């Protein structure tokens, strides 16, 4: 019976598609049914003969692992017993790539990459993690329960290298002068006492000499230890200590529909500006048995305060006031293979500085290799975050360091010789290096960039000295490439704007033809002629060139209704030539065009893919240039697409919901209707890592928060507003929507509604929720934008 009902559903769906008319019920259901099961997560076998990828063409409850050989190029499901026996696809290789150490189910394994023999190193309840080889590659170094261990590959001996203990070392109470005199007097009076005391002292000395050498007890008080690293010469251990902040209050997210029948509180985050943890970086000298902290006082610009603070400074108190050193976060050190150089990436906690520093572990002195300063915030592809080094490493000469930086405004590749100090920029232009890896022989870089077009991603090869970049992929769209271990083949996911992801294999040769491995589109998806949105540009009022996707509608010129879609996440790209992560919205836009709308999807200021200035264009004013880009897009629609200026709607989720609110409140004459989905209504209520980068902290930059938060502008609402929010949203809390609702009530606004979804988080899961939400959006546009 179930199969019959499924066939009926498919038949009905195909009939609607053949009629070139989409319905919300179909495009918002399970994407595996609507679109097809799309492949993901490609990995190679160590012998470069097979690829593995996740795929679920038969719509199982979870993705299945599939494989395909490079010769036959046909996908096969991997049996469960084979899948369980496979080595982990992740791990750390020896220098000659003959061995790989990895973790699986919390245990350590060693793989011989030539024979594929696997040796299990540990089988413990406590999980081992972060394995690596020592400098001589005779041992495996790993972490367990906050301490560092080594496993000798030849002897099988396990040695504990560190002994970090919480709390403080207990000290013996010192005798006062009276007690000292009495003890001395007793020993001088009674010979038996003196003999026993001497015997005890001698016994303790012998016992101490007989004890095996153990790692030094290092007490870390109430702090946490991580990123423990052993130097290649095994003389030093570096580590980071983190002290949790006190007084940081977590928000509460109540869940109302629960199995227990009681309201339950979900774990939630703090809000921006809450006290932050502090970090220290230490070096333990094993031979000297000393542990000392690395000082940050001499780091270049460590006391350089952000420029925005000058707007709040009192002139009579700042002249003679000494600036405080800013708090920083150290990342795990990068060592040259010969152990001569140790490099650490350090980020200021305000994220306005990234230092690449040379560390002398013996003296704990730091020397600047590169400093990137940004009055907005440090970011961009390949550059990493506060807890990531980004793309950085040593070339084969063990003295040339490579890294990525936005120094010239785009994320490009640089090298610096640590011996001579000579620095070189290897790539240059109005494009970004978006992924990077060094070839095994360390003679070439392989990377993905958008050099061809901001909306395309291609795979390149280039000599480590720079020069010509050889493009290896040729299919338009995005090419997410995984290089085979022997570097002779490319396996990749490719998609186009109206064609979802598929797996391909090709030789690592220019103009090599790709072979398609998967065919994932459902029959239902194929029945409809999905539109290929045109990637256009228009000029913003400040002269910037703005990229957008245009879904061109039909109808009488000057009277056409239009909808502008605002993507979420802020720093994200959606104007491109590959299959969008907003696939539901893409299908909805096709449906809108079917119903007479023109749709514009804009990569506004703050979007990814366009360099530093575009990325930071929203600094201290979200709802500024990112909003005026939408307004300029609306103007372009009117001037070039025959759109009626009184029939323009706007919608989006998360950051897109925020922009929708700002549009409806601050530019009410431009947009007649708006649907704000899971929107931020007050940035002071959002999280710290994202918000503090852009707006600093509310207690230090209240101007930025006041300018950027929609709740302060709610009185400007004129058009029709729909707000949709999941009630168990642990990202943008439902409290945001409730506070705005109360504000609108107090302002006596009537042309708005709030739709609440009791069981949905930030990203909806249930098809019924998606359907309900988009039915409301469509009804909003139909009833407001098509009125005569």
């Amino acid at each position: 019976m179930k199969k019959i009902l499924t066939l009926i559903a498919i038949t009905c769906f195909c009939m609607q598609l053949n009629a070139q008319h989409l319905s919300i019920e179909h495009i918002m259901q399970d994407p595996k049914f609507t679109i097809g099961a799309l492949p993901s997560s490609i990995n190679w076998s160590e012998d470069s003969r097979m690829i593995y990828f996740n795929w679920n063409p038969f719509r199982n409850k979870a993705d299945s692992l599939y494989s395909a050989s490079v010769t036959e190029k046909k996908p096969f499901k991997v049996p469960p017993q084979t899948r369980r026996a496979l080595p982990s696809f992740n791990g750390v290789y020896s220098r000659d790539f003959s061995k790989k150490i990895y973790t699986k189910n919390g245990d350590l394994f060693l793989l011989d990459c030539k024979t594929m023999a696997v040796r299990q190193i540990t089988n413990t309840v406590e999980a081992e993690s972060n394995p690596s080889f020592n400098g001589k590659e005779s041992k495996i170094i790993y972490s367990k329960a906050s301490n560092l261990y080594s496993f000798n590959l030849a002897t099988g001996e396990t040695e504990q290298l560190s002994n970090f203990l919480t709390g403080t070392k207990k000290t013996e109470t010192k005798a006062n002068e009276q007690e000292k005199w009495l003890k001395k007097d007793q020993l001088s009076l009674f010979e038996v006492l003196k003999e026993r005391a001497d015997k005890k002292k001698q016994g303790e000395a012998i016992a101490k000499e007989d004890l095996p050498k153990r790692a030094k007890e290092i007490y870390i008080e109430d702090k946490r230890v991580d990123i423990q690293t052993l130097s290649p010469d095994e003389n030093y251990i570096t580590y980071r200590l983190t002290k949790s902040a006190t007084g940081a209050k977590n928000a509460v997210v109540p869940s109302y529909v629960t199995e227990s029948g009681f309201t339950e509180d979900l774990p939630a985050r703090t809000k921006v500006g809450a006290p932050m943890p502090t970090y220290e970086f230490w070096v333990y000298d094993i031979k000297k048995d000393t542990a000392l902290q690395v000082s940050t006082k001499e780091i270049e610009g460590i006391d350089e305060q952000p420029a925005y603070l000058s707007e709040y400074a009192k002139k009579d108190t700042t002249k003679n006031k000494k600036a405080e050193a800013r708090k920083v976060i150290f990342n795990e050190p990068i060592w040259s293979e010969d152990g001569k150089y140790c490099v650490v990436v350090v980020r200021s906690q305000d994220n306005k500085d990234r230092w690449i520093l040379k560390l002398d572990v013996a003296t704990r002195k730091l020397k600047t290799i590169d400093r990137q300063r940004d009055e907005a915030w440090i970011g961009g592809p390949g550059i990493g975050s506060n807890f990531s080094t980004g793309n950085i490493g040593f070339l084969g000469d063990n003295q040339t360091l490579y890294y990525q930086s936005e120094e010239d405004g785009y994320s490009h590749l640089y090298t610096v010789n640590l011996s001579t100090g000579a620095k070189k920029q290897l790539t240059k232009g109005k494009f970004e290096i978006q992924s990077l890896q060094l070839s095994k022989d360390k003679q070439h870089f392989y990377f993905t960039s958008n050099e061809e077009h901001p909306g395309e991603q291609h795979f390149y090869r280039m000599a480590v000295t720079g020069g010509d970049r050889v493009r290896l992929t040729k299919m338009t769209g995005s090419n997410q490439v995984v290089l085979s271990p022997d570097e002779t083949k490319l396996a990749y996911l490719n998609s186009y704007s109206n064609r979802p992801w598929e797996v391909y294999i090709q030789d690592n040769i220019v103009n090599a033809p790709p072979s398609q491995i998967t065919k994932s589109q459902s029959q239902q998806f194929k029945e409809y002629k999905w539109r290929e949105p045109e990637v256009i540009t228009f000029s913003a009022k400040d002269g910037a060139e703005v990229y957008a996707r245009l879904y061109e509608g039909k109808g009488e010129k000057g009277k056409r209704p239009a909808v502008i879609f605002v993507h979420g996440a802020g720093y994200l790209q959606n104007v491109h030539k590959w299959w969008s992560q907003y696939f539901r919205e893409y299908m909805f836009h096709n449906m809108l065009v079917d119903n007479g709308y023109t749709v514009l999807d804009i990569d506004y200021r703050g979007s990814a893919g366009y360099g530093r200035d575009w990325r930071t264009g929203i600094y201290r004013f979200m709802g500024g240039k990112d909003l005026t880009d939408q307004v300029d897009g609306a103007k372009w629609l009117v001037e070039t697409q025959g759109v009626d200026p009184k029939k323009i709607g706007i919608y989006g989720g998360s950051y897109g919901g925020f922009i929708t609110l700002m549009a409806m409140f601050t530019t009410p004459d431009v947009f007649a209707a708006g649907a704000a989905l899971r929107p931020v209504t007050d940035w002071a209520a959002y999280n710290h890592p994202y918000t503090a980068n852009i707006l600093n902290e509310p207690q230090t930059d209240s101007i930025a928060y006041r300018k950027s938060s929609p709740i302060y502008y709610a009185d400007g609402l004129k058009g029709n507003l729909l707000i949709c929010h999941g009630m168990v949203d642990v990202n943008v809390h439902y409290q945001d929507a409730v506070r705005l609702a109360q504000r609108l009530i107090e302002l006596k606004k009537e042309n708005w509604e709030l739709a609440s979804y009791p069981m949905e988080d930030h990203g909806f899961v249930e098809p019924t929720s998606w359907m309900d939400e988009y039915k409301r959006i469509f009804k909003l546009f139909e009833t407001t934008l098509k009125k005569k």
Side-chain angles (χ1 to χ4, degrees):
M1 186 66 183
K2 188 181 289 185
K3 290 184 178 179
I4 294 172
L5 290 174
T6 302
L7 287 172
I8 292 172
I10 293 172
T11 303
C12 293
F13 185 74
C14 290
M15 288 173 65
Q16 292 230 348
L17 294 181
N18 283 326
Q20 295 290 294
H21 184 78
L22 298 171
S23 70
I24 289 172
E25 285 81 357
H26 290 108
I27 63 178
M28 293 298 159
Q29 63 182 315
D30 186 345
K32 291 178 181 177
F33 179 81
T34 311
I35 302 167
L38 306 184
S40 63
S41 305
I42 297 176
N43 289 282
W44 281 93
S45 63
E46 294 295 337
D47 60 8
S48 300
R49 295 178 181 178
M50 303 282 292
I51 63 168
Y52 296 90
F53 52 93
N54 290 332
W55 199 31
N56 193 7
F58 298 107
R59 301 183 187 131
N60 297 323
K61 290 185 178 180
D63 278 353
S64 300
L65 185 67
Y66 275 71
S67 65
S69 71
V70 297
T71 53
E72 295 183 4
K73 300 180 176 62
K74 292 181 180 180
F76 293 95
K77 186 175 180 179
V78 178
Q81 63 272 21
T82 304
R83 173 176 53 80
R84 286 190 285 268
L86 284 173
S88 172
F89 295 122
N90 300 311
V92 177
Y93 290 92
S94 59
R95 284 191 288 272
D96 64 359
F97 295 92
S98 65
K99 294 180 176 63
K100 183 173 82 170
I101 182 69
Y102 62 90
T103 60
K104 189 173 182 179
N105 299 322
D107 289 313
L108 291 177
F109 295 82
L110 180 67
L111 173 69
D112 187 312
C113 297
K114 294 179 180 178
T115 66
M116 297 303 292
V118 175
R119 176 183 177 185
Q120 184 163 358
I121 305 299
T122 64
N123 186 357
T124 61
V125 175
E126 285 186 308
E128 289 81 26
S129 62
N130 305 316
S132 63
F133 291 95
N134 69 332
K136 296 179 180 179
E137 298 191 334
S138 58
K139 302 175 184 177
I140 295 169
I141 311 300
Y142 62 93
S143 297
K144 182 172 70 171
S146 299
N147 278 303
L148 205 61
Y149 293 80
S150 74
F151 175 84
N152 190 305
L153 291 169
T155 66
E157 178 188 4
T158 297
E159 179 183 0
Q160 184 172 337
L161 303 177
S162 68
N163 188 14
F164 295 108
L165 302 170
T166 56
T168 56
K169 187 174 182 178
K170 293 180 180 179
T171 56
E172 293 182 7
T173 304
K174 291 184 178 180
N176 59 32
E177 294 302 316
Q178 178 208 28
E179 292 168 339
K180 289 179 183 177
W181 185 89
L182 285 172
K183 182 177 181 179
K184 183 178 179 182
D185 189 53
Q186 288 290 93
L187 293 174
S188 65
L189 283 172
F190 303 104
E191 190 65 29
V192 173
L193 283 179
K194 185 175 184 306
E195 289 177 357
R196 288 180 179 179
D198 290 342
K199 187 176 181 181
K200 180 181 178 182
K201 187 181 295 185
Q202 291 173 4
E204 288 175 347
I206 294 170
K208 187 175 181 180
E209 290 177 0
D210 290 342
L211 285 175
K213 186 179 179 183
R214 301 295 190 194
K216 175 185 174 67
E217 292 180 342
I218 300 176
Y219 286 88
I220 59 175
E221 301 174 343
D222 58 348
K223 301 167 187 174
R224 301 188 311 273
V225 62
D226 67 350
I227 62 169
Q228 308 95 312
T229 305
L230 181 68
S231 64
D233 61 10
E234 302 184 38
N235 290 329
Y236 301 92
I237 293 174
T238 60
Y239 56 96
R240 179 173 64 196
L241 294 180
T242 303
K243 183 176 178 61
S244 298
T246 56
K249 187 175 181 179
N250 284 343
V252 175
V253 176
S255 176
Y256 293 96
V257 183
T258 63
E259 289 185 14
S260 68
F262 292 89
T263 300
E264 298 173 4
D265 290 339
L266 300 178
R269 54 168 172 77
T270 59
K271 297 183 179 184
V272 60
M276 300 296 291
T278 55
Y279 304 89
E280 301 167 355
F281 196 68
W282 289 68
V283 176
Y284 170 46
D285 187 323
I286 297 173
K287 288 184 175 179
K288 293 182 179 179
D289 201 26
T290 57
L292 297 169
Q293 186 178 351
V294 176
S295 173
T296 63
K297 292 180 180 179
E298 302 304 319
I299 295 179
E300 177 187 344
I302 190 65
D303 58 356
E304 187 175 335
Q305 300 301 307
Y308 79 88
L309 290 176
S310 62
E311 295 183 26
Y312 299 92
K314 295 180 180 179
K315 294 180 181 179
D316 58 341
T317 61
T318 56
K319 286 184 179 180
N320 300 319
K321 186 178 179 181
K322 185 178 180 181
E324 294 182 2
R326 287 176 293 154
K327 296 176 181 178
V328 301
I329 302 171
F330 280 79
N331 284 285
E332 187 171 357
I334 302 106
W335 285 89
S336 59
E337 287 184 355
D338 60 5
K340 183 178 180 181
Y341 294 107
C342 177
V343 172
V344 289
V345 176
V346 179
R347 303 285 285 256
S348 59
Q349 273 196 310
D350 62 21
N351 207 15
K352 298 184 187 301
D353 268 288
R354 179 198 69 173
W355 297 273
I356 300 176
L357 304 168
K358 184 163 59 175
L359 171 64
D360 185 328
V361 289
T363 63
R364 307 179 315 286
K365 296 295 184 182
L366 297 167
K367 183 178 180 180
T368 302
I369 297 170
D370 181 81
R371 178 192 179 192
Q372 185 183 337
R373 168 81 175 176
D374 197 316
E375 283 297 339
W377 74 95
I378 301 294
I383 293 170
S385 61
N386 278 350
F387 296 95
S388 167
T389 61
N391 292 328
I392 186 170
F394 282 91
L395 298 183
D397 62 3
N398 281 317
Q399 62 181 7
T400 302
L401 188 77
Y402 68 85
Y403 62 94
Q404 283 184 242
S405 172
E406 277 189 327
E407 181 180 329
D408 74 347
Y410 291 84
S411 183
H412 281 299
L413 184 55
Y414 295 78
T415 58
V416 59
N417 187 297
L418 300 190
S419 176
T420 65
K423 180 179 174 181
K424 183 178 181 181
Q425 183 172 356
L426 301 186
T427 60
K428 189 176 181 65
K430 292 184 177 182
F431 63 93
E432 297 178 331
I433 304 299
Q434 298 179 327
S435 71
L436 177 71
Q437 71 180 90
L438 186 63
S439 64
K440 285 185 173 180
D441 62 7
K442 299 189 177 184
Q443 298 300 306
H444 291 90
F445 288 113
Y446 287 97
F447 59 83
T448 301
S449 83
N450 60 353
E451 179 176 357
E452 188 72 19
H453 183 278
E456 292 188 38
Q457 295 177 330
H458 287 286
F459 195 63
Y460 294 81
R461 182 178 63 240
M462 180 185 71
V464 293
T465 53
D468 293 337
R469 297 180 288 275
V470 179
R471 179 176 149 186
L472 297 169
T473 53
K474 60 182 182 179
M475 297 176 69
T476 305
S478 173
N479 298 280
Q480 300 181 3
V481 177
V482 182
L483 188 64
S484 65
D486 64 7
E487 300 183 358
T488 64
K489 298 281 191 304
L490 313 179
Y492 54 94
L493 294 166
N494 172 274
S495 71
Y496 191 61
S497 56
N498 62 352
R499 176 175 48 78
W501 300 100
E502 302 287 5
V503 175
Y504 296 82
I505 294 177
Q506 75 170 64
D507 290 331
N508 185 9
I509 300 171
V510 178
N511 294 323
S515 298
Q516 185 172 341
I517 305 301
T518 59
K519 293 182 180 179
S520 303
Q521 294 178 23
S522 68
Q523 185 59 38
Q524 302 92 291
F525 186 83
K526 295 177 184 177
E527 292 292 334
Y528 182 82
K529 189 176 181 181
W530 299 99
R531 291 169 178 85
E532 178 185 334
E534 180 185 358
V535 176
I536 60 95
T537 61
F538 62 85
S539 294
K541 68 178 183 180
D542 62 355
E545 185 181 33
V546 183
Y547 281 80
R549 270 182 162 192
L550 174 66
Y551 300 77
E552 190 172 356
K554 295 181 180 179
E556 186 178 347
K557 286 192 174 182
K559 296 184 179 181
R560 298 173 181 172
V563 171
I564 290 179
F565 170 66
V566 189
H567 69 67
Y571 189 56
L572 179 148
Q573 184 179 11
N574 200 48
V575 177
H576 48 61
K577 299 179 182 179
W578 62 87
W579 185 247
S580 176
Q581 71 181 69
Y582 290 100
F583 58 87
R584 290 184 178 90
E585 289 77 0
Y586 167 76
M587 293 188 288
F588 182 57
H589 297 162
N590 276 265
M591 178 185 144
L592 287 176
V593 175
D594 287 344
N595 285 273
Y597 295 85
T598 294
V599 181
L600 195 66
D601 174 2
I602 301 170
D603 268 350
Y604 50 88
R605 233 65 66 97
S607 298
Y610 305 95
R612 181 265 172 198
D613 290 347
W614 201 266
R615 175 177 64 79
T616 61
I618 56 175
Y619 177 59
R620 298 190 71 209
F621 190 7
M622 291 192 274
K625 291 180 180 179
D626 46 359
L627 175 57
T628 59
D629 287 343
Q630 317 297 331
V631 173
D632 292 335
K635 180 182 177 182
W636 181 85
L637 287 172
V638 172
E639 293 176 349
T640 67
Q641 300 299 307
V643 167
D644 186 335
K646 296 181 180 180
K647 296 181 179 180
I648 302 176
I650 186 169
Y651 88 104
S654 195
Y655 198 98
F658 150 73
I659 287 291
T660 297
L661 293 178
M662 291 294 275
M664 296 300 292
F665 296 165
T666 67
T667 59
D669 296 325
V670 177
F671 301 101
L677 320 176
R678 51 199 181 276
V680 174
T681 66
D682 184 352
W683 284 108
Y686 197 51
N687 70 30
H688 188 94
Y690 180 85
T691 318
N693 275 348
I694 305 171
L695 300 180
N696 304 306
E697 294 183 335
Q699 62 267 35
T700 60
D701 199 359
S702 58
I703 293 172
Y705 282 81
R706 179 62 176 78
K707 286 195 303 183
S708 302
S709 296
I711 199 166
Y712 294 107
Y713 302 100
D715 190 41
L717 178 63
K718 290 183 181 179
N720 292 272
L721 173 64
L722 167 66
I723 306 166
C724 298
H725 212 129
M727 294 177 69
V728 289
D729 190 335
V730 295
N731 182 9
V732 179
H733 299 157
Y734 180 64
Q735 182 188 28
D736 269 51
V738 175
R739 290 181 69 228
L740 179 60
Q742 178 61 28
R743 181 76 180 132
L744 292 169
I745 290 168
E746 292 181 7
L747 291 168
K748 300 178 182 178
K749 299 292 181 179
E750 298 179 355
N751 50 336
W752 64 278
E753 68 170 307
L754 169 60
S756 302
Y757 298 85
M759 298 190 69
E760 295 295 352
D761 198 343
H762 196 60
F764 283 14
V765 174
E766 301 300 326
T768 49
S769 299
W770 283 107
M771 291 176 194
D772 182 89
E773 183 178 55
Y774 274 80
K775 279 182 178 180
R776 293 176 186 273
I777 298 169
F778 186 59
K779 181 181 178 181
L780 172 72
F781 293 151
E782 286 285 276
T783 56
T784 57
L785 304 183
K786 285 191 173 180
K787 292 190 300 184
K788 294 183 179 179

